[in-house]
Amino acid sequence: MKIEKTAIAGTLESSDVQIMITPNAEGIEIDLDSQVIEQFGKQIKKVILATLNDYQITNAKLKVIDKGALDCVIIARLKTAIHRSLGIQHQETPWEGLVK
């Protein structure tokens, strides 16, 4: 899929993550700002890349501000940002294909 427009999901509250996704012509770029980057930076990027892969997104720029979010929160926020970017409405979400 191709990211159509800039979209954002999440908050800057504790235990949450804010993700902004924008179109990019040069692959995947992740700008990660996290209080726990030394301990969990690789895992956060792994979760993001796996989720993008699930959507077959190969070109996107992401600004990620992590406040200690769990993997499931990161996935939920990223999926929401992707859906907003693609203009997918709740009724159109193919949940069956997205659940692992």
Side-chain angles (χ1 to χ4, degrees):
M1 294 186 175
K2 182 179 177 188
I3 297 301
E4 300 291 329
K5 61 183 178 182
T6 298
I8 193 167
T11 70
L12 298 176
E13 299 292 322
S14 181
S15 301
D16 202 354
V17 62
Q18 186 178 75
I19 300 177
M20 180 171 56
I21 190 167
T22 59
N24 188 27
E26 302 174 7
I28 301 296
E29 293 181 40
I30 301 173
D31 178 10
L32 175 61
D33 178 15
S34 175
Q35 300 168 342
V36 293
I37 197 164
E38 293 298 319
Q39 297 94 341
F40 300 108
K42 289 181 183 178
Q43 177 63 21
I44 294 168
K45 288 181 180 180
K46 180 180 173 184
V47 168
I48 290 169
L49 291 172
T51 304
L52 292 172
N53 188 54
D54 289 345
Y55 282 86
Q56 300 175 356
I57 294 172
T58 56
N59 293 306
K61 186 172 185 178
L62 295 97
K63 172 64 177 166
V64 181
I65 304 172
D66 172 58
K67 297 294 183 177
L70 298 174
D71 289 356
C72 58
V73 175
I74 296 168
I75 294 167
R77 297 302 192 198
L78 180 53
K79 286 182 177 182
T80 300
I82 292 169
H83 288 207
R84 288 176 178 168
S85 173
L86 299 174
I88 298 174
Q89 300 298 317
H90 178 71
Q91 303 90 323
E92 301 169 2
T93 305
W95 296 111
E96 298 81 17
L98 299 176
V99 177
K100 288 188 174 186

Coordinates of all heavy atoms in Angstrom, one line a residue:
M1 N 0.8 -1.2 0.0 CA 0.0 0.0 0.0 C 0.9 1.2 0.0 O 2.0 1.2 0.5 CB -0.9 0.0 1.2 CG -1.9 -1.1 1.3 SD -3.0 -0.8 2.7 CE -4.1 -2.2 2.3
K2 N 0.3 2.3 -0.5 CA 1.1 3.6 -0.5 C 0.4 4.6 0.4 O -0.8 4.8 0.4 CB 1.0 4.1 -2.0 CG 1.8 5.4 -2.1 CD 1.7 5.9 -3.6 CE 2.4 7.2 -3.7 NZ 2.3 7.8 -5.0
I3 N 1.3 5.2 1.3 CA 0.8 6.2 2.2 C 0.4 7.4 1.4 O 1.1 7.9 0.5 CB 1.9 6.6 3.2 CG1 2.3 5.4 4.1 CG2 1.5 7.8 4.0 CD1 1.1 4.8 4.9
E4 N -0.9 7.8 1.6 CA -1.5 8.9 0.8 C -1.2 10.3 1.3 O -1.0 11.2 0.6 CB -3.0 8.6 0.6 CG -3.4 7.3 0.0 CD -3.0 7.3 -1.5 OE1 -3.1 8.3 -2.1 OE2 -2.7 6.2 -2.0
K5 N -1.4 10.4 2.6 CA -1.3 11.7 3.3 C -0.7 11.6 4.7 O -0.7 10.5 5.2 CB -2.6 12.4 3.3 CG -3.7 11.7 4.1 CD -5.0 12.4 4.0 CE -6.0 11.6 4.8 NZ -7.4 12.1 4.8
T6 N -0.3 12.7 5.3 CA 0.2 12.7 6.6 C -1.0 12.4 7.6 O -2.1 12.9 7.4 CB 0.8 14.0 7.0 OG1 1.9 14.2 6.1 CG2 1.3 14.1 8.4
A7 N -0.7 11.5 8.6 CA -1.7 11.2 9.6 C -0.9 10.9 10.9 O 0.2 10.6 10.9 CB -2.4 9.9 9.2
I8 N -1.7 11.1 12.0 CA -1.1 11.0 13.3 C -2.1 10.2 14.2 O -3.3 10.3 14.0 CB -0.8 12.4 13.9 CG1 0.1 12.3 15.1 CG2 -2.0 13.2 14.2 CD1 0.7 13.6 15.6
A9 N -1.5 9.5 15.2 CA -2.3 8.7 16.1 C -1.5 8.7 17.4 O -0.3 8.6 17.4 CB -2.6 7.3 15.6
G10 N -2.2 8.6 18.5 CA -1.6 8.5 19.8 C -1.5 9.8 20.6 O -1.8 10.9 20.1
T11 N -1.0 9.7 21.8 CA -0.8 10.9 22.6 C 0.6 10.9 23.2 O 1.4 10.0 23.0 CB -1.8 10.9 23.8 OG1 -1.4 9.8 24.7 CG2 -3.2 10.7 23.3
L12 N 0.9 11.9 24.0 CA 2.2 12.1 24.6 C 2.1 11.7 26.1 O 2.9 12.1 26.9 CB 2.8 13.5 24.4 CG 3.0 13.8 23.0 CD1 3.5 15.3 22.9 CD2 4.1 12.9 22.3
E13 N 1.0 11.0 26.5 CA 0.8 10.6 27.8 C 1.7 9.4 28.2 O 2.2 8.7 27.3 CB -0.6 10.1 28.1 CG -1.7 11.2 27.8 CD -1.6 12.3 28.8 OE1 -1.4 12.0 30.0 OE2 -1.8 13.5 28.4
S14 N 2.0 9.2 29.5 CA 2.8 8.1 29.9 C 2.2 6.8 29.4 O 1.0 6.6 29.4 CB 2.9 8.1 31.4 OG 3.7 7.0 31.9
S15 N 3.0 5.9 29.0 CA 2.7 4.5 28.5 C 2.0 4.5 27.2 O 1.3 3.6 26.8 CB 1.8 3.8 29.6 OG 2.5 3.6 30.8
D16 N 2.1 5.6 26.5 CA 1.5 5.7 25.1 C 2.6 6.1 24.1 O 3.8 6.2 24.5 CB 0.4 6.8 25.1 CG -0.6 6.6 24.0 OD1 -0.4 5.7 23.1 OD2 -1.5 7.4 23.9
V17 N 2.3 6.2 22.9 CA 3.2 6.5 21.8 C 2.4 7.4 20.8 O 1.3 7.1 20.5 CB 3.8 5.3 21.1 CG1 2.8 4.4 20.5 CG2 4.9 5.7 20.2
Q18 N 3.1 8.4 20.3 CA 2.5 9.2 19.2 C 3.3 8.9 17.9 O 4.5 9.0 17.9 CB 2.6 10.7 19.6 CG 1.8 11.6 18.6 CD 1.9 13.0 19.0 OE1 2.9 13.7 18.8 NE2 0.8 13.5 19.5
I19 N 2.5 8.6 16.9 CA 3.1 8.2 15.6 C 2.6 9.1 14.5 O 1.3 9.2 14.4 CB 2.9 6.7 15.3 CG1 3.5 5.8 16.4 CG2 3.5 6.4 13.9 CD1 3.3 4.4 16.2
M20 N 3.5 9.7 13.8 CA 3.1 10.5 12.6 C 3.7 9.8 11.4 O 4.9 9.5 11.4 CB 3.6 11.9 12.7 CG 3.1 12.7 11.4 SD 3.5 14.5 11.6 CE 5.2 14.6 11.9
I21 N 2.8 9.5 10.4 CA 3.3 8.8 9.2 C 3.1 9.8 8.0 O 2.0 10.4 7.9 CB 2.6 7.5 9.0 CG1 3.3 6.7 7.9 CG2 1.1 7.6 8.9 CD1 2.9 5.2 7.9
T22 N 4.1 9.9 7.2 CA 4.0 10.7 6.0 C 4.5 10.0 4.8 O 5.3 9.0 4.9 CB 4.8 12.0 6.2 OG1 6.1 11.7 6.4 CG2 4.3 12.9 7.3
P23 N 4.0 10.4 3.6 CA 4.6 9.8 2.4 C 6.1 10.0 2.2 O 6.6 11.0 2.7 CB 3.8 10.5 1.2 CG 2.6 11.1 1.9 CD 3.0 11.4 3.3
N24 N 6.7 9.0 1.6 CA 8.2 9.1 1.4 C 8.5 8.3 0.2 O 8.0 7.2 0.0 CB 8.9 8.6 2.6 CG 10.4 8.8 2.6 OD1 10.9 9.7 1.9 ND2 11.2 7.9 3.2
A25 N 9.3 8.8 -0.7 CA 9.7 8.1 -1.9 C 10.9 7.3 -1.8 O 11.3 6.6 -2.7 CB 9.9 9.2 -3.0
E26 N 11.6 7.3 -0.6 CA 12.9 6.7 -0.5 C 12.9 5.6 0.6 O 13.8 5.6 1.5 CB 13.9 7.7 -0.3 CG 14.0 8.8 -1.4 CD 15.0 9.9 -1.1 OE1 15.7 9.8 -0.1 OE2 15.0 10.8 -1.9
G27 N 12.0 4.7 0.6 CA 12.0 3.6 1.6 C 11.4 4.0 2.9 O 10.6 5.0 3.0
I28 N 11.7 3.3 4.0 CA 11.2 3.5 5.3 C 12.2 4.3 6.1 O 13.4 4.0 6.2 CB 10.9 2.2 6.0 CG1 9.9 1.3 5.3 CG2 10.5 2.4 7.5 CD1 8.5 1.9 5.1
E29 N 11.8 5.4 6.7 CA 12.6 6.2 7.6 C 11.9 6.3 8.9 O 10.7 6.7 9.0 CB 12.8 7.6 7.0 CG 13.7 7.7 5.8 CD 13.8 9.1 5.3 OE1 14.0 10.0 6.1 OE2 13.7 9.3 4.1
I30 N 12.6 6.0 10.0 CA 12.0 6.0 11.3 C 12.8 7.0 12.2 O 14.0 6.7 12.4 CB 11.9 4.6 12.0 CG1 11.1 3.7 11.1 CG2 11.3 4.7 13.4 CD1 11.1 2.2 11.6
D31 N 12.2 8.0 12.7 CA 12.8 9.0 13.6 C 12.2 8.7 15.0 O 11.0 9.0 15.2 CB 12.5 10.4 13.2 CG 13.1 11.4 14.1 OD1 13.8 11.1 15.0 OD2 12.7 12.6 14.0
L32 N 12.9 8.0 15.8 CA 12.4 7.5 17.1 C 13.0 8.4 18.2 O 14.2 8.5 18.4 CB 12.8 6.0 17.3 CG 12.5 5.4 18.7 CD1 11.0 5.4 18.9 CD2 13.0 4.0 18.7
D33 N 12.0 8.9 19.0 CA 12.4 9.6 20.2 C 11.7 8.8 21.4 O 10.5 8.7 21.5 CB 11.8 11.0 20.2 CG 12.1 11.8 21.4 OD1 13.0 11.4 22.3 OD2 11.5 12.9 21.6
S34 N 12.6 8.3 22.3 CA 12.1 7.5 23.4 C 12.9 7.6 24.6 O 14.1 7.7 24.5 CB 12.0 6.0 23.0 OG 11.6 5.2 24.0
Q35 N 12.3 7.6 25.8 CA 13.0 7.7 27.0 C 13.7 6.4 27.3 O 14.6 6.3 28.1 CB 12.0 8.0 28.2 CG 11.3 9.3 28.0 CD 10.1 9.4 29.0 OE1 9.6 8.5 29.5 NE2 9.7 10.7 29.2
V36 N 13.3 5.3 26.6 CA 13.9 4.0 26.9 C 14.5 3.4 25.6 O 14.6 2.2 25.4 CB 12.8 3.0 27.4 CG1 12.3 3.4 28.7 CG2 11.6 2.9 26.4
I37 N 15.1 4.3 24.8 CA 15.6 3.9 23.5 C 16.8 3.0 23.7 O 17.0 2.0 22.9 CB 16.0 5.2 22.6 CG1 16.2 4.7 21.2 CG2 17.2 5.9 23.2 CD1 16.2 5.9 20.2
E38 N 17.6 3.2 24.7 CA 18.8 2.3 24.9 C 18.3 0.8 25.2 O 19.0 -0.1 24.7 CB 19.6 2.8 26.1 CG 20.3 4.1 25.8 CD 21.3 4.1 24.6 OE1 22.0 3.1 24.5 OE2 21.3 5.0 23.8
Q39 N 17.3 0.7 26.0 CA 16.8 -0.7 26.3 C 15.9 -1.3 25.2 O 16.0 -2.5 25.0 CB 16.0 -0.6 27.6 CG 16.8 -0.2 28.8 CD 16.7 1.3 29.1 OE1 16.3 2.1 28.3 NE2 17.1 1.7 30.3
F40 N 15.0 -0.5 24.7 CA 14.0 -1.0 23.8 C 13.9 -0.4 22.4 O 13.0 -0.8 21.7 CB 12.6 -0.8 24.5 CG 12.5 -1.5 25.8 CD1 12.5 -0.7 27.0 CD2 12.5 -2.9 25.9 CE1 12.4 -1.3 28.2 CE2 12.4 -3.5 27.2 CZ 12.4 -2.7 28.3
G41 N 14.9 0.4 22.0 CA 14.8 1.0 20.7 C 14.8 0.0 19.5 O 14.0 0.1 18.6
K42 N 15.6 -1.1 19.6 CA 15.6 -2.1 18.6 C 14.2 -2.8 18.5 O 13.7 -3.1 17.4 CB 16.7 -3.1 18.8 CG 18.1 -2.5 18.5 CD 19.1 -3.6 18.7 CE 20.5 -3.0 18.5 NZ 21.6 -4.0 18.8
Q43 N 13.6 -3.1 19.7 CA 12.3 -3.8 19.7 C 11.2 -2.9 19.1 O 10.4 -3.3 18.4 CB 12.0 -4.2 21.1 CG 10.6 -4.9 21.3 CD 10.5 -6.2 20.5 OE1 11.4 -6.8 20.1 NE2 9.2 -6.6 20.2
I44 N 11.2 -1.6 19.5 CA 10.2 -0.7 19.0 C 10.3 -0.6 17.5 O 9.3 -0.7 16.8 CB 10.4 0.7 19.6 CG1 10.1 0.7 21.1 CG2 9.5 1.8 18.9 CD1 10.6 1.9 21.9
K45 N 11.5 -0.5 16.9 CA 11.7 -0.4 15.5 C 11.3 -1.8 14.8 O 10.7 -1.8 13.7 CB 13.1 -0.1 15.1 CG 13.4 1.4 15.4 CD 14.8 1.7 15.0 CE 15.1 3.2 15.3 NZ 16.5 3.6 14.9
K46 N 11.6 -2.9 15.5 CA 11.2 -4.2 14.9 C 9.6 -4.3 14.8 O 9.1 -4.8 13.8 CB 11.7 -5.3 15.9 CG 11.4 -6.7 15.4 CD 12.0 -7.7 16.4 CE 11.5 -9.1 16.1 NZ 12.0 -10.1 17.1
V47 N 8.9 -3.8 15.9 CA 7.5 -3.9 15.9 C 6.9 -3.0 14.8 O 6.0 -3.4 14.1 CB 6.9 -3.5 17.3 CG1 5.4 -3.2 17.2 CG2 7.3 -4.5 18.3
I48 N 7.5 -1.8 14.6 CA 7.0 -0.9 13.6 C 7.3 -1.5 12.2 O 6.3 -1.4 11.3 CB 7.8 0.5 13.7 CG1 7.3 1.2 15.0 CG2 7.6 1.4 12.5 CD1 8.1 2.4 15.4
L49 N 8.4 -2.0 11.9 CA 8.7 -2.6 10.6 C 7.9 -3.8 10.3 O 7.4 -3.9 9.2 CB 10.2 -2.9 10.5 CG 11.2 -1.8 10.5 CD1 12.6 -2.2 10.6 CD2 11.0 -0.9 9.2
A50 N 7.6 -4.6 11.3 CA 6.7 -5.8 11.1 C 5.3 -5.3 10.8 O 4.6 -5.9 9.9 CB 6.7 -6.7 12.4
T51 N 4.8 -4.3 11.4 CA 3.5 -3.8 11.1 C 3.4 -3.2 9.8 O 2.4 -3.4 9.0 CB 3.0 -2.8 12.2 OG1 3.1 -3.4 13.5 CG2 1.6 -2.3 12.0
L52 N 4.4 -2.4 9.4 CA 4.4 -1.8 8.0 C 4.5 -3.0 7.0 O 3.8 -2.9 5.9 CB 5.6 -0.9 7.9 CG 5.6 0.4 8.6 CD1 7.0 1.1 8.5 CD2 4.5 1.3 8.2
N53 N 5.2 -4.0 7.3 CA 5.3 -5.2 6.4 C 3.9 -5.8 6.2 O 3.6 -6.3 5.1 CB 6.4 -6.1 6.9 CG 6.6 -7.3 5.9 OD1 6.9 -7.0 4.7 ND2 6.5 -8.5 6.4
D54 N 3.2 -5.9 7.3 CA 1.8 -6.5 7.2 C 1.0 -5.8 6.3 O 0.1 -6.4 5.6 CB 1.2 -6.5 8.6 CG 1.8 -7.5 9.6 OD1 2.6 -8.4 9.2 OD2 1.5 -7.4 10.8
Y55 N 1.2 -4.5 6.1 CA 0.4 -3.6 5.2 C 1.1 -3.5 3.9 O 0.6 -2.8 3.0 CB 0.1 -2.3 5.8 CG -1.0 -2.2 6.8 CD1 -0.7 -2.5 8.2 CD2 -2.3 -1.9 6.5 CE1 -1.7 -2.5 9.1 CE2 -3.3 -1.8 7.4 CZ -3.0 -2.1 8.7 OH -4.0 -2.1 9.7
Q56 N 2.2 -4.1 3.7 CA 3.0 -4.0 2.5 C 3.4 -2.6 2.1 O 3.4 -2.2 1.0 CB 2.3 -4.7 1.3 CG 2.0 -6.2 1.6 CD 1.2 -6.8 0.5 OE1 0.8 -6.2 -0.5 NE2 1.0 -8.1 0.6
I57 N 3.7 -1.8 3.2 CA 4.1 -0.4 3.0 C 5.7 -0.4 3.0 O 6.3 -0.9 3.9 CB 3.6 0.4 4.2 CG1 2.1 0.5 4.1 CG2 4.2 1.8 4.1 CD1 1.5 1.2 5.3
T58 N 6.2 0.1 1.8 CA 7.6 0.1 1.6 C 8.2 1.5 1.6 O 9.4 1.6 1.6 CB 8.0 -0.7 0.3 OG1 7.3 -0.1 -0.8 CG2 7.6 -2.1 0.4
N59 N 7.4 2.5 1.5 CA 7.8 3.9 1.5 C 7.0 4.7 2.5 O 5.8 4.9 2.2 CB 7.7 4.5 0.1 CG 8.6 3.8 -0.9 OD1 9.8 3.7 -0.7 ND2 8.0 3.3 -2.0
A60 N 7.6 5.1 3.5 CA 7.0 6.0 4.5 C 8.0 6.6 5.5 O 9.1 6.0 5.7 CB 6.0 5.2 5.3
K61 N 7.7 7.8 6.0 CA 8.5 8.4 7.0 C 7.7 8.5 8.2 O 6.5 8.9 8.2 CB 8.9 9.8 6.5 CG 9.9 10.5 7.4 CD 10.4 11.8 6.8 CE 11.5 12.4 7.6 NZ 12.0 13.6 7.0
L62 N 8.3 8.0 9.4 CA 7.6 8.0 10.6 C 8.3 8.8 11.7 O 9.6 8.7 11.8 CB 7.5 6.6 11.1 CG 6.6 5.7 10.3 CD1 7.4 4.8 9.3 CD2 5.8 4.8 11.1
K63 N 7.6 9.6 12.4 CA 8.1 10.3 13.6 C 7.4 9.6 14.8 O 6.2 9.7 14.9 CB 7.8 11.8 13.5 CG 8.1 12.6 14.8 CD 9.6 12.6 15.1 CE 9.9 13.4 16.4 NZ 11.2 13.2 16.9
V64 N 8.2 9.0 15.6 CA 7.7 8.2 16.7 C 8.2 8.8 18.0 O 9.4 8.9 18.2 CB 8.1 6.7 16.6 CG1 7.5 5.9 17.7 CG2 7.7 6.1 15.2
I65 N 7.2 9.2 18.9 CA 7.6 9.7 20.2 C 7.0 8.7 21.2 O 5.8 8.7 21.4 CB 7.0 11.1 20.4 CG1 7.5 12.1 19.3 CG2 7.4 11.7 21.8 CD1 6.9 13.5 19.3
D66 N 7.9 8.0 21.8 CA 7.5 6.9 22.7 C 7.6 7.4 24.1 O 8.5 8.0 24.5 CB 8.4 5.7 22.5 CG 8.1 4.6 23.5 OD1 7.0 4.1 23.6 OD2 9.1 4.3 24.3
K67 N 6.5 7.0 24.9 CA 6.5 7.4 26.3 C 6.4 6.1 27.2 O 5.7 6.0 28.2 CB 5.3 8.3 26.6 CG 5.5 9.7 26.0 CD 6.6 10.5 26.5 CE 6.7 11.8 25.9 NZ 7.8 12.6 26.4
G68 N 7.0 5.0 26.7 CA 7.0 3.7 27.4 C 5.8 2.8 27.0 O 5.4 2.0 27.8
A69 N 5.4 2.9 25.8 CA 4.3 2.1 25.3 C 4.7 0.6 25.1 O 5.8 0.3 24.7 CB 3.8 2.6 24.0
L70 N 3.8 -0.3 25.4 CA 3.9 -1.7 25.1 C 3.8 -1.9 23.6 O 3.3 -1.1 22.9 CB 2.9 -2.5 25.9 CG 2.9 -2.4 27.4 CD1 1.7 -3.1 28.0 CD2 4.2 -3.0 28.0
D71 N 4.3 -3.1 23.2 CA 4.2 -3.4 21.8 C 2.8 -3.3 21.2 O 2.6 -2.8 20.1 CB 4.8 -4.8 21.5 CG 6.3 -5.0 21.7 OD1 6.9 -3.9 21.9 OD2 6.8 -6.1 21.6
C72 N 1.8 -3.8 22.0 CA 0.4 -3.8 21.5 C -0.1 -2.4 21.3 O -0.9 -2.1 20.3 CB -0.5 -4.6 22.4 SG -0.5 -4.0 24.1
V73 N 0.4 -1.5 22.1 CA 0.0 -0.1 21.9 C 0.6 0.5 20.7 O 0.0 1.3 19.9 CB 0.3 0.7 23.2 CG1 0.0 2.2 23.0 CG2 -0.4 0.2 24.4
I74 N 1.9 0.2 20.5 CA 2.6 0.7 19.3 C 1.9 0.2 18.0 O 1.7 1.0 17.1 CB 4.1 0.3 19.3 CG1 4.8 0.9 20.5 CG2 4.8 0.6 18.0 CD1 6.2 0.3 20.8
I75 N 1.6 -1.0 18.0 CA 0.9 -1.6 16.9 C -0.4 -0.9 16.6 O -0.8 -0.5 15.5 CB 0.7 -3.1 17.0 CG1 2.1 -3.8 17.0 CG2 -0.2 -3.7 15.9 CD1 2.1 -5.3 17.5
A76 N -1.2 -0.8 17.7 CA -2.6 -0.1 17.6 C -2.4 1.3 17.0 O -3.2 1.7 16.2 CB -3.3 -0.2 18.9
R77 N -1.5 2.1 17.6 CA -1.3 3.4 17.1 C -0.9 3.5 15.7 O -1.3 4.4 14.9 CB -0.4 4.2 18.1 CG -0.8 4.3 19.5 CD -2.1 5.0 19.6 NE -2.4 5.4 21.0 CZ -3.6 5.7 21.5 NH1 -4.6 5.7 20.7 NH2 -3.7 6.0 22.7
L78 N 0.1 2.6 15.3 CA 0.6 2.7 14.0 C -0.5 2.3 13.0 O -0.7 2.9 11.9 CB 1.8 1.7 13.8 CG 2.4 1.7 12.4 CD1 2.7 3.1 11.9 CD2 3.7 0.8 12.4
K79 N -1.3 1.2 13.3 CA -2.4 0.8 12.4 C -3.4 2.0 12.3 O -3.9 2.2 11.2 CB -3.1 -0.4 13.0 CG -2.3 -1.7 12.8 CD -3.1 -2.9 13.3 CE -2.3 -4.2 13.1 NZ -3.1 -5.4 13.5
T80 N -3.7 2.7 13.4 CA -4.6 3.8 13.3 C -4.1 4.9 12.4 O -4.8 5.4 11.5 CB -4.9 4.4 14.7 OG1 -5.5 3.3 15.5 CG2 -5.8 5.6 14.6
A81 N -2.8 5.2 12.5 CA -2.2 6.2 11.6 C -2.2 5.8 10.2 O -2.5 6.6 9.3 CB -0.7 6.5 12.1
I82 N -1.9 4.5 9.9 CA -2.0 4.0 8.6 C -3.4 4.1 8.0 O -3.6 4.6 6.9 CB -1.5 2.5 8.5 CG1 0.0 2.5 8.8 CG2 -1.8 1.9 7.2 CD1 0.5 1.0 9.0
H83 N -4.4 3.7 8.8 CA -5.8 3.8 8.3 C -6.2 5.2 8.0 O -6.8 5.5 7.0 CB -6.7 3.1 9.3 CG -6.6 1.6 9.3 ND1 -7.6 0.8 9.7 CD2 -5.5 0.8 9.0 CE1 -7.2 -0.4 9.7 NE2 -6.0 -0.5 9.3
R84 N -5.8 6.1 8.9 CA -6.1 7.5 8.7 C -5.4 8.1 7.4 O -6.0 8.8 6.6 CB -5.7 8.4 9.9 CG -6.6 8.1 11.1 CD -6.1 8.9 12.3 NE -7.0 8.7 13.4 CZ -6.8 9.0 14.6 NH1 -5.7 9.6 15.0 NH2 -7.7 8.8 15.6
S85 N -4.2 7.7 7.2 CA -3.5 8.1 6.0 C -4.1 7.6 4.7 O -4.1 8.3 3.7 CB -2.0 7.6 6.1 OG -1.3 7.9 4.9
L86 N -4.6 6.4 4.8 CA -5.2 5.8 3.6 C -6.7 6.1 3.4 O -7.3 5.7 2.4 CB -5.0 4.2 3.6 CG -3.6 3.7 3.7 CD1 -3.6 2.2 3.9 CD2 -2.8 4.1 2.4
G87 N -7.2 6.8 4.4 CA -8.6 7.1 4.4 C -9.6 5.9 4.6 O -10.7 5.9 4.2
I88 N -9.1 4.9 5.3 CA -9.9 3.7 5.6 C -10.8 4.0 6.7 O -10.4 4.4 7.8 CB -9.0 2.5 5.9 CG1 -8.2 2.1 4.7 CG2 -9.9 1.3 6.4 CD1 -7.1 1.0 5.0
Q89 N -12.1 3.9 6.5 CA -13.1 4.1 7.6 C -13.2 2.8 8.4 O -12.9 1.7 8.0 CB -14.4 4.5 7.0 CG -14.4 5.7 6.2 CD -14.0 6.9 7.0 OE1 -14.5 7.1 8.1 NE2 -13.2 7.8 6.5
H90 N -13.8 2.9 9.6 CA -13.9 1.8 10.5 C -14.7 0.6 9.9 O -14.3 -0.5 10.0 CB -14.6 2.2 11.8 CG -14.9 1.1 12.8 ND1 -13.8 0.5 13.5 CD2 -16.0 0.4 13.1 CE1 -14.3 -0.5 14.2 NE2 -15.6 -0.5 14.0
Q91 N -15.7 1.0 9.1 CA -16.5 -0.1 8.5 C -15.8 -0.8 7.4 O -16.1 -2.0 7.1 CB -17.8 0.5 7.9 CG -18.7 1.3 8.8 CD -18.3 2.8 8.8 OE1 -17.1 3.1 8.8 NE2 -19.3 3.6 9.0
E92 N -14.7 -0.2 6.9 CA -14.0 -0.8 5.8 C -12.7 -1.6 6.3 O -12.1 -2.2 5.5 CB -13.5 0.3 4.8 CG -14.6 1.1 4.2 CD -14.0 2.4 3.5 OE1 -12.8 2.5 3.5 OE2 -14.8 3.2 3.0
T93 N -12.4 -1.5 7.6 CA -11.2 -2.1 8.1 C -11.3 -3.7 8.0 O -12.2 -4.3 8.5 CB -11.0 -1.8 9.6 OG1 -11.0 -0.3 9.6 CG2 -9.7 -2.3 10.1
P94 N -10.4 -4.3 7.3 CA -10.4 -5.8 7.1 C -9.7 -6.4 8.3 O -8.7 -7.0 8.3 CB -9.5 -5.9 5.9 CG -8.5 -4.8 5.9 CD -9.3 -3.6 6.6
W95 N -10.4 -6.4 9.5 CA -9.9 -6.9 10.8 C -9.5 -8.3 10.7 O -8.5 -8.7 11.3 CB -10.9 -6.7 11.9 CG -11.2 -5.2 12.2 CD1 -12.3 -4.6 11.9 CD2 -10.3 -4.2 12.7 NE1 -12.2 -3.2 12.3 CE2 -10.9 -3.0 12.7 CE3 -8.9 -4.3 13.1 CZ2 -10.3 -1.9 13.2 CZ3 -8.3 -3.1 13.6 CH2 -9.0 -1.9 13.6
E96 N -10.2 -9.1 10.0 CA -9.9 -10.6 9.9 C -8.5 -10.8 9.4 O -7.7 -11.7 9.8 CB -10.9 -11.3 9.1 CG -12.3 -11.3 9.6 CD -13.0 -10.0 9.3 OE1 -12.6 -9.3 8.3 OE2 -14.0 -9.7 10.0
G97 N -8.1 -10.0 8.4 CA -6.8 -10.1 7.8 C -5.6 -9.5 8.6 O -4.5 -9.8 8.3
L98 N -6.0 -8.7 9.6 CA -5.0 -8.0 10.3 C -4.7 -8.7 11.7 O -3.6 -8.4 12.3 CB -5.4 -6.6 10.6 CG -5.6 -5.7 9.4 CD1 -6.2 -4.3 9.7 CD2 -4.3 -5.6 8.6
V99 N -5.5 -9.5 12.1 CA -5.3 -10.2 13.4 C -4.4 -11.4 13.2 O -4.5 -12.2 12.3 CB -6.7 -10.7 14.0 CG1 -6.4 -11.4 15.3 CG2 -7.6 -9.5 14.2
K100 N -3.4 -11.4 14.1 CA -2.4 -12.6 14.0 C -2.6 -13.5 15.2 O -3.0 -13.2 16.2 CB -1.0 -12.0 14.0 CG -0.6 -11.4 12.7 CD 0.8 -11.1 12.7 CE 1.2 -10.5 11.4 NZ 2.6 -10.3 11.2

